[in-house]
Amino acid sequence: MIARVIVTPKPVVNDPQGITVKQGLATLGFREVSDVRVGKYIEVNLEAETEHEARSRVEAMCKQLLANHVIEDYRFEIDMDGHKRR
Amino acid sequence: MIARVIVTPKPVVNDPQGITVKQGLATLGFREVSDVRVGKYIEVNLEAETEHEARSRVEAMCKQLLANHVIEDYRFEIDMDGHKRR
Amino acid sequence: MRSIWTVTSADEWPDPGGPCIFAAWAAGPLVKFGVVVFPGTWSDRDCGWVIDQVLGAELQYLWHKDADLKGCDCVILPGGFAYGDYLRTGAIARFAPVMEKIADFADRGGLVWGICNGFQVLCEAGLLPGALIRNSSLEFRCQWTNLVVERTDLPYTSQCGEREVIRVPISHGEGNYFADPATLSRLEQRGQVVFRYCDAGGRVTNSANPNGSMHNIAGIVNARGNVLGMMPHPERCAEVELGGTDGLKLFRSVAESAMKVLVS
Amino acid sequence: MTAQSVDERRLREVALTPGEYRAIVEELKRAPNEVELGMLGVLWSEHCSYKSSKALLRRLPSAGAAVIQGPGENAGAVNIGEGWAAVFKIESHNHPSAIEPYQGAATGVGGIIRDVIAMGARPIALLDSLRFGPQPASSHHVEGVVAGIGGYGNCIGIPTVGGEVYFEDCYANNPLVNAMCVGLVRVERLMRARAEGTGNSLMLVGADTGRDGIHGASFASLELDETSSERRPAVQVGNPFLEKCLLEACMDLAHTDAVVAIQDLGAAGLTSSVAECAGRVDGAGAHIDVARVPRRERGMTPYHVMLSESQERMLVVVERGREAEVEAIFQAWDLTSAVIGHVTDDGHLTVVDGAEKVARLPISLLTDGAPPRRLVGVAAEQPPGLDMNALPPLVDAGAALLRLLASPNLSSRRGIFRRYDHMVGDATVIPPGGDAAMLRVKGTRLGLAVTTDCNSRYCHLDPHLGAQLAVAEAARNIIATGAHPLAVTDCLNFANPDRPEVYWEMEETIAGLAHACRAFELPIVSGNVSLYNDSSGESAIYPTPVVGMVGLIDDYGKRLSAGLRGEGDFVLLIGSSQNDLGGSEYLKVEHGLVAGRPPALDLARERAVDRLVLAAAENGLLQSAHDCAEGGMLVALAECCLLGGIGVRCPAIRPEVPLRMDAAFFGESPSRFIVSLSSRAMPELQSLARRHHVEISLLGLAGGDSIQFEGQFRLPLAEIRQAWEGALT
Ligand SMILES: Nc1ncnc2c1ncn2[C@@H]1O[C@H](COP(=O)(O)OP(=O)(O)O)[C@@H](O)[C@H]1O
Ligand SMILES: [Mg+2]
C-alpha cells in the first residue's frame, strides 16, 4: 500500500521559500496569489496487514524521521490499493 | 481558495533523497518500506471567480514555474472553501 | 567587434598572428564580457575580477532587470543562489527580464556561458537540454575536480589541448546532470558534452564523479556551439595563488576567439 | 500593579526575578505595563545584559595600536594598513542549535554576518567552532549543524574557511555552535551604530516581522530542560537569500552619505536594536510606531512586534529628509524598507501604535539598568591526577598513531569543510585543512590569517591554564602561516554560573585569557558569552573559551602552509618536549583517561618560539610550518606528510631521561612547531635559533611514501590516510 505524507511548515514559522515563490509568481503575472507555502510530499510504499497497522506505522515514521516537529506539521493518507507508479 | 499542488520526480529520474529516506527508515526499524519518493507540496492561496478559472491559472503556474517537466510531474486539487490556515 | 557573434569552427579560422594582433593584446583583449547579476548571485564579482584584473578584458555587469545586453560579446551567467534557488535551482531566475534578451542573443549565435547556477538557469530556461538535480550524496560539495576537455573547437576551449585534463573546483549541492535517454544519446552523438569529471589521468570513472551526473557530465554545449553550461568554476582557478590557473584558459579562449573573428 | 502583586508566573515568562522587578518599579516609580515588562525582560536577560559576566569581562585587555573599534559595537575592528580595517566577531548559537540543529546553526551564521555588515564592512570569511557529544549518538546534531552552517554560508556566498570540531561527553545534550565572521572595510567608511541627530529617521529594512523567536534571548539564558521543546516556537527559520540582498543593499549604502548608522536586529529584536543604538549616544532617545512595521502575519500585537526575533532585518538611521534615497537603494534589491520612527533627545524609548501609547522607558534602564548579579566562585574539585608511573609503556608507536588519527578529535575534517564553499570570493589563499586559513586583501599584497581554537579538556582540567593554552594555540596557528597575530575575539561558553564551581571556572578562564592576551600584546576587540549550557543541571559543559584570532602578513606571497613540499627537505621540530601527557588525546584514546594537568605554558618561551618561526618565515627559510597540538609531535608530523603527500624518513627516537617515549611521540607540550626547509637554509636557521634561544631538533628527511622511524615503525602513507580520512565522512 501507499502512504502519501504531506509535510508543511508550521503556520507561525517563516517560510522563505513560499515567500520567494509567491514573488516569483507575481512577477509572472499571477497577481491573484495572496500566499504560498512550500512543503514536502513523501510517498512511502509499505507492507502492512491492516490499514490500522499502516496508519500507526506511518504515524511513527512521521514522528521519528519524516517531519521535523519543531517547525513542521504533517498529515497523511493511506491508499490500500495504491502501488508504485513506476 | 486554495490550490494544493504536488510535484513528484518523474519515475525515470533517480531520487537520491527518496533512497536516503528509505535507508533512514530502515535504520529506524521500518523494514516494511519498499520504496520512498520525495517530492514537493505547494499550497497556493489565490482569488478566482470560478473553479474553472482557478484550475486554468494553477495549471499555468505549474507549467511555467512550479514544476520542471524534464524531471517532474505535477498534479493538483482546488479547494474552493479553503482559506489560509493562520 | 561589437557586432553580432558569428561562430565558425576552429579549423576555418585564419591563422592568427602578425604584429597587429599582438598590439591589440597589449592593450588588453578587445572582447567585452557581460556578467549577469540576479538577486542571490555571488560569483559575479569573482568572474568580474578575473575578466577585469587577470585577463584585462572589458567588463560590464548586467542587472537582472536590464533589458539590454549593452554590446557584450560574451554573456556570463555566474554562480550563486539566484532567488535562493528556492523551489528549484534557477527556476525563478529564468524569468528575469534580462533572460529574454539573452535568449535572443543566443539565438543569433551570441556567446552565452553559464557557470554553476548559470548552467542551472540555462537548463531551466530551455537554452540547454536536461536538468541539474540534487547531488547523489545529498551533500553540498566544494572541492577540486579534474575535467577532461572533449571539445577544443569551441570558442570556450580553443586554448585547451585535445582531451586535456584540467583542474577546476566545483561548489554545488545540485550539479547532478540528468537528461532523458533520448536527449542524452543525442548529446553524445553530436559531441555536445564538453567537460566530463575524470581522475588525474583522464579516466572517466565512477569515483571521479562528485555528484552522480549521468555520463560524468560536467559541462555541455548547445548544438550550435555558442551556449555553454558547466558546473565547475573556472573563475576560481585563474591565478596560481588560488591553487591553479586552468580556468584562465577558458577565459583566454573566449578572448582569443574574439580576436580571430576580428581578423577574419 | 505593585511589586507584590505581579504574577510570579509572568515574571518567569519574561525571565525576571522579583528583585529585578522591584528595581524596575523603583526606577520608574510605577509598575511597568505588559509591553514594558516584556521589553525589560529580554534586555535584562543574561544574553543581552551580561549581568553575570560584565564585571569579569572588564578584565580583558582591549587596547592596542591597531585597534580602531574595541568591544561595545556590533563587531571589533583593527587597522591592517593600506587603508583597510578588518572587522570581526564571534558569537554563540548554542541553545537554538540544541533544539533545531539546522536552523539554529544557520541563523547563528546569519546573525554574525549582520554584525559585520552593521560596521559597514563586506564579510569575507566565516569560521565555525563546534562541540558535540560522542558519535554516533550525536550524529543528528552534527548533521544538522554542519548542513545548517553550509546552507546559510553557501547560499549567501561568504566562504567558510575554518573552525574546529571536538567530541566530548559533556556536550551530548549541549552542543556548542560558535560562528565567527570577518569583514573588510575602508577605514574611513567604518560605521558605528550610534543613533545620532535628533529628528533623524529610523528605518527598518529587510524581512517582514513575524511572531518568531519571541523571548529567544530569555530562552538562551535558561537551562535546557524537558519543557524546552515546548518553547520551540522560539526557533527561527533563516532566509540566506534575503540576507544576501540585504548585504548587497547595505554595501550600496556606501554610495550615499545619507546614512548615519546601521544596527542589526538580533536577540530581542527591535527593542534591543533601538535601545542599543540610542544608548551609545548621550541623552539620545527614540520614538517608534509599531503600526508602521511591515508584518508577515496578521494579528500581531505591539508586544509581538517589539520582541519578535525575525531574522534578516536591519535598523538604519537616516538623515531626516533623505529617506527616499535610502528606500531606493533597498527597492533596487526588492527589499522592503519602512520609516518606523525617529531619533529623539529625551533619553527615552517611546513606543506607540498609531495614536495609542504603548510603552515609554528610559534607554539607560533598558541597556544598563539590570542589576549586576554578584556571584561567588568556589574552586572546583581537583580533577583526577595522573600517575605517570602507572601508565603502561608505549609498545607500538605506529599502531597508536593509526588509532589516534582515526579518533574523532584528530581525524581529517575534510568531510565537513568540503560541504562548505570555502573558495567563493577568489581570496582564499590558504584553504581549510591546515592551521589558520588565509584570505588575501584584493588589490594589495596583504593576507589575513584567521583561526579559532580551544582545547576545552585542558580548560576543564585547569581553566586558568587552559584559557592561556587556547590563546597560545591560536597564535601558533596564525604564525604557522607566516602571519603576525593581530587581535582576538572570544566566545565564552560555560554552564550555569549560579553554581559556584562554574562561576569559579568563569573567573579563572577570564583571568587566564587576560593574562595570555597581555603577554602576547593581543587586544580582544569583540566577543560573546553563552551561559547555562547544562541540561537540567546534570551535564555541565567543560568551560569552553573559544579564541578567534586574526593575523596579518604583509605579503601573502610569503605565506606558509602545513604540508611538506619537497623530497629531501629537512624536517625539524622547533621547541622542546616535556612529559606532557596530562589531558592529552593519547591518554584519552589509548588509556581512556581524562586526567592530569594540562601542559605547562611558559609564555616567554612560547613567544621566543613564535618569534623564531616568524623570523625564519620572513627570511624565506621555511618550506612549510605546522603547529604541534593535540596528538603531539607524531600526529602533527603525520599531518604534514598527509597534507603534502610526501612521506618522511626519521632515525629512531631515543628520548633522553626523563622524557618518556610516549610523551616524545604523543605528548602535547605547547610552544612547538614542525617545519621543513631545504638543507641550504639549515645554517641560517640554526643561527636564528641560537639567537632566539630556542631548541631545534632534526626529525628526519622528507621523501618516500611512508612515515618511518628507523627500527621503530614504518607505515605507508596510504594506510595512514585511510585511518585519518575514514573517521568523519
Ligand atoms: N567546523 C569546521 N569548519 C571549517 N573548517 C574546519 C572546521 N573544523 C576544522 N576545520 C579546519 O580543519 C583544519 C584542522 O582543524 P584543527 O584540527 O582544529 O586544527 P588545529 O589543531 O591546527 O587548530 C583547520 O584548517 C580548521 O580550520
Ligand atoms: Mg585547534
Side-chain angles (χ1 to χ4, degrees):
Chain A
M1 65 196 67
I2 284 191
R4 304 207 170 85
V5 182
I6 285 175
V7 180
T8 49
K10 282 195 171 110
V12 295
V13 167
N14 189 15
D15 175 20
Q17 185 155 220
I19 293 172
T20 313
V21 170
K22 183 194 152 193
Q23 281 162 0
L25 285 170
T27 325
L28 286 178
F30 297 102
R31 298 193 184 281
E32 67 266 45
V33 174
S34 59
D35 192 40
V36 177
R37 307 283 288 177
V38 179
K40 271 182 292 213
Y41 170 76
I42 306 163
E43 211 170 78
V44 180
N45 277 272
L46 76 165
E47 294 294 313
E49 295 292 311
T50 62
E51 183 173 339
H52 180 78
E53 186 198 330
R55 210 158 262 294
S56 82
R57 295 295 281 174
V58 174
E59 183 78 40
M61 292 177 203
C62 289
K63 283 230 166 70
Q64 291 177 47
L65 184 72
L66 302 183
N68 176 347
H69 63 131
V70 181
I71 47 177
E72 294 171 331
D73 292 326
Y74 63 86
R75 58 184 192 271
F76 61 86
E77 59 182 43
I78 303 278
D79 179 349
M80 295 297 289
D81 311 317
H83 51 274
K84 265 164 61 158
R85 332 182 168 209
R86 279 251 169 118
Chain B
M1 65 197 67
I2 284 190
R4 304 206 169 86
V5 182
I6 284 175
V7 179
T8 49
K10 274 195 198 315
V12 291
V13 177
N14 63 23
D15 172 21
Q17 214 180 338
I19 294 168
T20 309
V21 171
K22 187 193 152 191
Q23 283 161 357
L25 286 172
T27 321
L28 288 174
F30 298 101
R31 302 196 180 279
E32 68 267 44
V33 174
S34 59
D35 192 39
V36 178
R37 306 283 288 175
V38 179
K40 275 178 275 217
Y41 170 76
I42 306 162
E43 208 170 82
V44 181
N45 276 273
L46 75 166
E47 294 294 314
E49 296 291 311
T50 61
E51 182 172 342
H52 180 78
E53 186 198 329
R55 212 159 260 294
S56 83
R57 294 295 281 172
V58 175
E59 184 76 42
M61 292 177 204
C62 289
K63 282 230 167 71
Q64 289 180 49
L65 180 66
L66 302 183
N68 175 340
H69 67 113
V70 176
I71 45 173
E72 294 168 331
D73 294 324
Y74 64 86
R75 56 184 193 271
F76 62 85
E77 60 183 43
I78 303 277
D79 180 349
M80 295 297 289
D81 312 317
H83 51 275
K84 263 168 57 161
R85 333 177 170 211
R86 282 251 169 117
Chain C
M1 222 279 303
R2 298 283 165 264
S3 58
I4 309 287
W5 193 270
T6 41
V7 179
T8 39
S9 98
D11 20 23
E12 290 163 25
W13 284 332
D15 186 26
C20 72
I21 289 183
F22 289 107
W25 262 112
L30 289 173
V31 62
K32 180 172 178 181
F33 284 89
V35 176
V36 180
V37 185
F38 298 106
T41 296
W42 40 237
S43 276
D44 47 341
R45 295 157 58 84
D46 296 353
C47 289
W49 170 263
V50 172
I51 291 163
D52 185 41
Q53 300 288 316
V54 185
L55 189 66
E58 198 179 342
L59 166 68
Q60 170 75 56
Y61 286 109
L62 300 170
W63 187 234
H64 65 116
K65 293 174 185 168
D66 284 352
D68 165 18
L69 301 186
K70 313 213 164 131
C72 293
D73 307 301
C74 173
V75 174
I76 295 181
L77 295 154
F81 283 65
Y83 296 94
D85 274 352
Y86 292 136
L87 194 63
R88 287 185 315 281
T89 58
I92 301 178
R94 69 169 268 222
F95 293 108
V98 76
M99 285 306 294
E100 221 169 288
K101 298 293 156 198
I102 288 174
D104 284 351
F105 182 60
D107 257 2
R108 285 179 285 138
L111 292 191
V112 177
W113 183 4
I115 297 170
C116 192
N117 198 221
F119 185 11
Q120 296 162 338
V121 174
L122 290 175
C123 287
E124 278 285 336
L127 290 173
L128 287 172
L132 294 142
I133 61 173
R134 208 64 191 270
N135 291 353
S136 53
S137 62
L138 295 184
E139 282 180 5
F140 192 95
R141 281 294 152 82
C142 177
Q143 64 189 53
W144 287 87
T145 60
N146 294 301
L147 308 176
V148 54
V149 183
E150 305 223 328
R151 287 276 298 270
T152 52
D153 60 337
L154 296 168
Y156 301 98
T157 52
S158 57
Q159 300 281 300
C160 300
E162 274 308 314
R163 297 201 57 81
E164 182 180 343
V165 175
I166 58 177
R167 272 181 83 239
V168 186
I170 56 163
S171 185
H172 60 244
E174 310 198 12
N176 181 346
Y177 184 77
F178 171 87
D180 61 70
T183 307
L184 196 61
S185 74
R186 208 164 44 237
L187 280 176
E188 292 289 5
Q189 266 160 25
R190 295 183 183 163
Q192 284 174 245
V193 177
V194 184
F195 304 112
R196 254 186 253 274
Y197 300 110
C198 65
D199 65 16
R203 281 173 298 269
V204 177
T205 61
N206 259 343
S207 61
N209 186 340
N211 54 27
S213 283
M214 288 178 151
H215 295 199
N216 282 39
I217 288 173
I220 57 171
V221 74
N222 64 346
R224 189 169 175 181
N226 60 319
V227 179
L228 173 72
M230 61 191 295
M231 287 312 296
H233 287 274
E235 81 284 4
R236 293 188 181 185
C237 52
E239 292 163 277
V240 248
E241 41 268 77
L242 299 178
T245 56
D246 285 348
L248 191 56
K249 288 183 186 168
L250 308 190
F251 285 90
R252 282 231 171 93
S253 297
V254 173
E256 192 88 348
S257 328
M259 291 300 299
K260 287 174 179 167
V261 171
L262 183 63
V263 278
S264 68
Chain D
M1 198 159 44
T2 68
Q4 283 71 33
S5 77
V6 68
D7 188 345
E8 289 244 342
R9 229 192 97 138
R10 176 70 188 129
L11 279 187
R12 257 204 312 278
E13 216 169 83
V14 294
L16 287 171
T17 64
E20 288 169 341
Y21 183 77
R22 276 193 299 276
I24 292 169
V25 174
E26 212 163 282
E27 175 69 28
L28 289 179
K29 305 200 173 39
R30 65 176 169 87
N33 66 30
E34 275 296 291
V35 179
E36 291 169 338
L37 194 63
M39 290 165 66
L40 286 161
V42 279
L43 276 200
W44 285 22
S45 69
E46 185 62 53
H47 191 83
C48 293
S49 72
Y50 288 75
K51 57 193 170 192
S52 305
S53 59
K54 219 179 209 169
L56 294 178
L57 294 179
R58 280 196 204 103
R59 300 182 191 164
L60 296 173
S62 59
V67 177
I68 310 180
Q69 179 61 59
E73 274 285 341
N74 287 299
V78 289
N79 195 330
I80 58 169
E82 308 214 22
W84 288 101
V87 173
F88 54 95
K89 180 168 198 250
I90 189 167
E91 208 161 70
S92 67
H93 230 215
N94 304 334
H95 289 76
S97 304
I99 302 289
E100 213 310 273
Y102 184 101
Q103 294 299 343
T107 52
V109 171
I112 193 64
I113 292 171
R114 287 195 297 281
D115 277 323
V116 168
I117 297 175
M119 303 295 292
R122 176 175 282 279
I124 58 158
L126 292 165
L127 297 93
D128 60 321
S129 175
L130 313 177
R131 304 288 183 286
F132 300 107
Q135 293 266 51
S138 63
S139 64
H140 159 72
H141 283 145
V142 179
E143 268 310 300
V145 165
V146 170
I149 288 164
Y152 211 99
N154 298 343
C155 181
I156 198 169
I158 300 167
T160 304
V161 300
E164 2 158 45
V165 195
Y166 286 95
F167 301 88
E168 297 279 0
D169 295 342
C170 65
Y171 302 111
N173 298 317
N174 302 278
L176 301 187
V177 176
N178 294 179
M180 172 169 163
C181 182
V182 185
L184 284 175
V185 61
R186 299 297 298 170
V187 172
E188 71 277 10
R189 290 215 176 274
L190 186 72
M191 304 271 298
R192 286 178 180 85
R194 299 164 54 89
E196 309 258 17
T198 306
N200 280 341
S201 288
L202 297 171
M203 288 177 85
L204 184 62
V205 304
D208 291 349
T209 299
R211 239 173 306 208
D212 18 25
I214 310 272
H215 291 310
S218 330
F219 168 61
S221 309
L222 296 168
E223 289 178 28
L224 297 182
D225 57 32
E226 317 79 60
T227 66
S228 304
S229 41
E230 279 153 37
R231 278 190 233 114
R232 274 172 176 170
V235 171
Q236 303 136 44
V237 171
N239 185 351
F241 162 61
L242 204 154
E243 185 141 313
K244 165 69 174 169
C245 296
L246 199 53
L247 154 64
E248 294 303 337
C250 286
M251 295 299 108
D252 287 350
L253 290 180
H255 302 312
T256 164
D257 56 355
V259 172
V260 177
I262 313 178
Q263 166 71 44
D264 70 298
L265 277 80
L270 202 48
T271 302
S272 86
S273 72
V274 174
E276 276 175 29
C277 218
R280 294 191 185 105
V281 181
D282 264 347
H287 186 279
I288 301 283
D289 183 354
V290 290
R292 299 212 203 159
V293 173
R295 304 166 191 208
R296 205 180 68 219
E297 298 173 48
R298 270 189 284 257
M300 289 179 66
T301 63
Y303 188 92
H304 291 139
V305 174
M306 288 311 291
L307 296 191
S308 159
E309 294 189 359
S310 287
Q311 299 285 303
E312 291 95 19
R313 299 181 298 163
M314 290 281 200
L315 185 74
V316 185
V317 185
V318 181
E319 258 180 47
R320 175 160 47 174
R322 302 187 63 183
E323 298 82 1
E325 282 171 58
V326 173
E327 192 185 336
I329 289 173
F330 285 97
Q331 202 157 35
W333 289 94
D334 296 322
L335 291 169
T336 339
S337 56
V339 177
I340 60 158
H342 58 268
V343 179
T344 66
D345 58 4
D346 64 359
H348 276 68
L349 173 53
T350 308
V351 182
V352 300
D353 183 4
E356 205 177 316
K357 266 213 154 132
V358 171
R360 184 170 162 83
L361 292 168
I363 297 280
S364 59
L365 182 68
L366 283 161
T367 56
D368 285 322
R373 303 183 66 220
R374 262 183 294 277
L375 299 170
V376 276
V378 173
E381 230 174 88
Q382 275 287 319
L386 175 63
D387 179 4
M388 295 277 260
N389 295 325
L391 279 188
L394 178 65
V395 192
D396 182 344
L401 172 64
L402 290 179
R403 283 190 293 269
L404 278 164
L405 286 176
S407 74
N409 285 340
L410 296 179
S411 63
S412 166
R413 268 58 186 138
R414 199 174 94 93
I416 291 175
F417 64 69
R418 75 174 171 191
R419 295 170 66 177
Y420 303 149
D421 189 333
H422 48 262
M423 298 171 151
V424 60
D426 270 2
T428 312
V429 293
I430 301 181
D435 294 295
M438 190 181 286
L439 297 126
R440 61 176 174 174
V441 179
K442 283 180 172 174
T444 73
R445 297 298 298 169
L446 301 175
L448 268 188
V450 292
T451 185
T452 67
D453 285 284
C454 173
N455 180 322
S456 64
R457 198 183 296 154
Y458 292 168
C459 297
H460 164 64
L461 295 171
D462 181 339
H464 191 270
L465 179 53
Q468 296 183 51
L469 285 164
V471 177
E473 189 191 343
R476 277 198 305 277
N477 277 325
I478 299 283
I479 287 162
T481 67
H484 293 257
L486 200 59
V488 167
T489 181
D490 65 313
C491 196
L492 305 175
N493 305 272
F494 296 101
N496 181 349
D498 299 351
R499 291 164 53 196
E501 68 278 14
V502 173
Y503 192 69
W504 174 81
E505 286 175 350
M506 277 174 72
E507 291 178 304
E508 290 290 298
T509 300
I510 290 171
L513 262 187
H515 180 67
C517 285
R518 287 216 165 81
F520 281 98
E521 296 164 75
L522 285 171
I524 298 184
V525 297
S526 59
N528 177 250
V529 179
S530 169
L531 303 180
Y532 302 100
N533 291 290
D534 29 12
S535 53
S536 306
E538 279 165 27
S539 56
I541 62 160
Y542 291 168
T544 314
V546 174
V547 174
M549 196 179 286
V550 168
L552 185 67
I553 190 167
D554 57 8
D555 178 2
Y556 64 83
K558 293 191 205 155
R559 71 194 180 282
L560 293 173
S561 52
L564 299 181
R565 303 262 303 274
E567 299 258 343
D569 280 353
F570 283 27
V571 181
L572 269 66
L573 178 68
I574 296 194
S576 56
S577 311
Q578 275 78 40
N579 278 330
D580 285 321
L581 288 175
S584 65
E585 277 299 316
Y586 173 78
L587 265 196
K588 174 105 194 250
V589 172
E590 294 291 294
H591 301 291
L593 289 175
V594 173
R597 291 232 336 138
L601 176 66
D602 176 339
L603 285 164
R605 196 169 63 205
E606 174 79 39
R607 298 215 68 195
V609 170
D610 290 351
R611 272 193 287 262
L612 166 62
V613 174
L614 279 176
E618 183 74 19
N619 296 345
L621 303 183
L622 304 181
Q623 290 292 323
S624 72
H626 187 33
D627 158 40
C628 221
E630 290 98 359
M633 181 278 287
L634 192 53
V635 165
L637 180 63
E639 288 167 351
C640 293
C641 294
L642 290 162
L643 292 167
I646 303 177
V648 65
R649 281 183 297 269
C650 309
I653 293 246
R654 306 247 175 269
E656 279 168 35
V657 182
L659 186 60
R660 296 162 53 106
M661 186 71 93
D662 46 10
F665 275 120
F666 300 113
E668 298 179 1
S669 302
S671 323
R672 296 184 303 166
F673 287 87
I674 289 182
V675 301
S676 68
L677 65 171
S678 79
S679 55
R680 268 169 294 121
M682 269 303 281
E684 211 178 322
L685 184 76
Q686 280 167 312
S687 75
L688 262 186
R690 267 194 301 278
R691 224 176 311 147
H692 284 89
H693 306 287
V694 170
E695 188 179 315
I696 60 174
S697 27
L698 182 63
L699 287 172
L701 291 183
D705 51 11
S706 65
I707 297 182
Q708 64 173 309
F709 280 81
E710 217 71 58
Q712 287 175 318
F713 72 91
R714 174 177 182 196
L715 288 169
L717 222 45
E719 190 180 340
I720 298 175
R721 187 177 301 280
Q722 205 173 12
W724 187 57
E725 288 186 345
L728 257 196
T729 43

